[in-house]
Every structure is written in C-alpha cells, then in structure tokens.
Amino acid sequence: MTAYEKLQNCLACVREKTDFVPDVALILGSGLGALADEVEAVATVDYHDIEGFPVSTVPGHKGRFVFGYFGDVKVVIMQGRVHFYEGYDRSDILLPTRLMVLMGAKALFLTNAAGGVNRNFNAGDFMLIRDHIMTIFPNPLIGANMDELGPRFPDMSEVYDKTLSRIILDTAARLEIPMQQGVYCQLTGPTFETPAEVRMLTTLGVDAVGMSTASEAVAARHAGIRVCGISCITNQAAGISPTPLSHEEVSETGNRVGPLFRKLVRESIEAMGAAL
Ligand code: HPA
C-alpha cells in the first residue's frame, strides 16, 4: 500500500462515521486539549478507530477528532497529536494533517506548548507564530513525494498566512490579551534543550522552541492550505529559567492559562469565517 492509499484508507474510516466537511483544522498542543470539550460537537472519531492512524503515547494527550462549530465556522479538532520523538516515521507525523486536508479543511490552526527563548517572554505568554525554523529537524517531506497532494519542492516563503494572523492579533486586542510574536523552532525532543542549545537558538533568531508544529505546517503548505498558529509559552527555555524543566511545569502553565488561550483560539476561529 502506498502512503497515499493508506491516507485514503484513513479517510474512508472517518467517512464511515461522519461526512462533516470542516473549514478549519485545529491541532491542540499539550495541556490545551480541553478546548475540544467546549465545541458544540456533532461527531467524534477516536484515532483507534482509524486503521493505520498514529496514536500518541504522551500523558495528557487524548486521541480523537472532534467535529463541530465555533460560531458559523466548521472545525475539526485534533485532541492529541503525535510527535517525532515517539518514534513514528515522518510520513506518520504528517498523516493527520494530510487527512484533515482531505476532509476538506481550508486552513490549519496550530497550537503548541513551547519554551521561551526570547528573554522578554514569560511563562504564560502567548506568541503568534510569524515563521519557523525546521532545518535542524529532519525535513518531514523527505521520501517519495505525495504528488496527489503537492509538489516535490514546495515554496515556504510565507508559511503563516498574513490575513489569518491579523485576525488572531485583532481578536487578542479585542479580548485585551497581550500577544508576543516570533519565530518558532522545532527540535525533535524528547530532551529539553541544554543552555548551550538555547544560546544557539538565540543566535539563530529563534523566539520559542518546541517539539511539534513546524512539520505539520509544512505538510499543510505542501498541500496548499493556509496556516496560522499560536504558541503558549509554558516556561522559559533552559538556561534562562532558574529551575530545571519538566513536563509537569509545561502542563501546569498550560492549565493555568488554558481558559484564556482557549477563548483566544475559539474567538479567532469564529472571526475567520468571512476570510476563508
Ligand atoms: N523546549 C522544548 N519544547 C517545549 C518546551 C521547551 O522548553 N516547553 C514546552 N515544550
């Protein structure tokens, strides 16, 4: 079976449960999963029920698609994503995003937990992702190109859509939520960075670091759909933070600012209706 056939197979499994065609695909990062419980759900599909679908092993990640509405906007929410450090093939990391493209999503809204590399960032800040660096991470499109979805050499000059990003900033301003903006760098994990690695990232112009997201953004741009994203800065990166890093700290901050983050994401998506 080719990777594209596997993808079509996954689509058929989803289509057995629902024929919902989403406008926006939303991927929820660590600690942010509760947003899926707030959507007026019309259907859910467990990843386990999708043949060949990669299922996450990270604590705190549920594994299901939730289909529903934010205002008039039809959304498919990924409650739980898979990461490269869990040992999946690159094509499996891209499969969920590609599946949501095939479901009909016109835009991908990415969220994640990230470490603050920029010294002006504090735990609990939100950062609009302006651009990313993924060159340190193995490129997820290495391997046979999926010609059905996009070209061999996709353009990445504007990964993060300006109009959708503007809507997020305007929504944050209306809700009086301060926003940072910057460059996100994806590393493989699962280790957090060393202070020397964080200094390297500072030199490279990185503002926030994490273990996801950029590869999904690349999959979406490869397939020609629009992308936007917000990082929740759950901790200052190693060497900036005075204390050792832990998954608990990441989850704690996610839980603390979760309600505000969810409000921002939900209202941004509602405001995107006219722009899609
Ligand atoms: N580094 C990498 N990934 C992360 C971090 C971090 O400091 N915080 C949350 N995800």
Side-chain angles (χ1 to χ4, degrees):
M1 201 191 316
T2 66
Y4 190 66
E5 283 162 359
K6 180 172 171 182
L7 191 56
Q8 287 290 349
N9 223 21
C10 289
L11 182 65
C13 290
V14 172
R15 286 293 174 239
E16 268 173 31
K17 308 243 169 195
T18 176
D19 54 7
F20 193 87
V21 176
D23 299 311
V24 175
L26 170 63
I27 302 185
L28 297 176
S30 306
L32 309 170
L35 184 56
D37 302 325
E38 291 176 11
V39 72
E40 210 178 298
V42 296
T44 60
V45 179
D46 282 356
Y47 299 159
H48 285 288
D49 294 333
I50 306 173
E51 211 183 307
F53 193 89
V55 178
S56 176
T57 57
V58 181
H61 279 244
K62 273 194 194 167
R64 59 180 191 156
F65 286 114
V66 178
F67 299 86
Y69 290 83
F70 284 140
D72 296 332
V73 181
K74 295 166 87 178
V75 290
V76 52
I77 305 179
M78 271 192 84
Q79 200 173 19
R81 58 148 66 93
V82 288
H83 303 83
F84 194 62
Y85 60 75
E86 294 177 70
Y88 293 99
D89 286 347
R90 282 185 290 258
S91 67
D92 275 338
I93 306 288
L94 303 193
L95 188 146
T97 301
R98 289 173 157 167
L99 183 55
M100 294 191 289
V101 170
L102 293 188
M103 288 178 201
K106 298 191 267 290
L108 175 65
F109 196 128
L110 290 160
T111 67
N112 60 42
V117 173
N118 186 320
R119 287 182 175 266
N120 296 324
F121 290 4
N122 291 306
D125 283 358
F126 302 150
M127 184 191 87
L128 179 83
I129 305 175
R130 282 242 160 259
D131 202 348
H132 71 225
I133 292 179
M134 204 198 50
T135 29
I136 310 173
F137 176 90
N139 194 299
L141 294 178
I142 291 173
N145 186 49
M146 208 175 270
D147 296 328
E148 296 88 345
L149 291 188
R152 173 73 289 189
F153 301 109
D155 173 55
M156 293 288 142
S157 21
E158 194 187 304
V159 175
Y160 299 88
D161 187 274
K162 287 208 171 76
T163 305
L164 300 184
S165 296
R166 185 74 255 157
I167 291 171
I168 293 171
L169 292 176
D170 289 348
T171 304
R174 183 168 51 78
L175 297 174
E176 297 182 354
I177 299 173
M179 286 294 283
Q180 308 279 12
Q181 299 184 38
V183 173
Y184 174 90
C185 179
Q186 178 173 12
L187 300 179
T188 64
T191 49
F192 290 110
E193 300 69 37
T194 65
E197 286 162 348
V198 172
R199 283 195 297 278
M200 171 188 79
L201 296 175
T202 304
T203 308
L204 295 177
V206 170
D207 297 293
V209 61
M211 306 174 191
S212 64
T213 299
S215 45
E216 293 139 337
V218 164
R221 291 302 303 140
H222 174 247
I225 72 163
R226 296 159 79 184
V227 176
C228 61
I230 311 175
S231 291
C232 175
I233 307 298
T234 52
N235 56 281
Q236 291 180 310
I240 302 173
S241 168
T243 53
L245 272 47
S246 69
H247 186 63
E248 287 66 38
E249 180 185 7
V250 170
S251 302
E252 251 168 51
T253 309
N255 290 337
R256 176 166 61 80
V257 298
L260 201 58
F261 193 86
R262 296 199 292 271
K263 192 173 168 89
L264 173 61
V265 172
R266 192 178 58 234
E267 299 214 9
S268 295
I269 292 177
E270 285 178 13
M272 281 173 190
L276 294 169

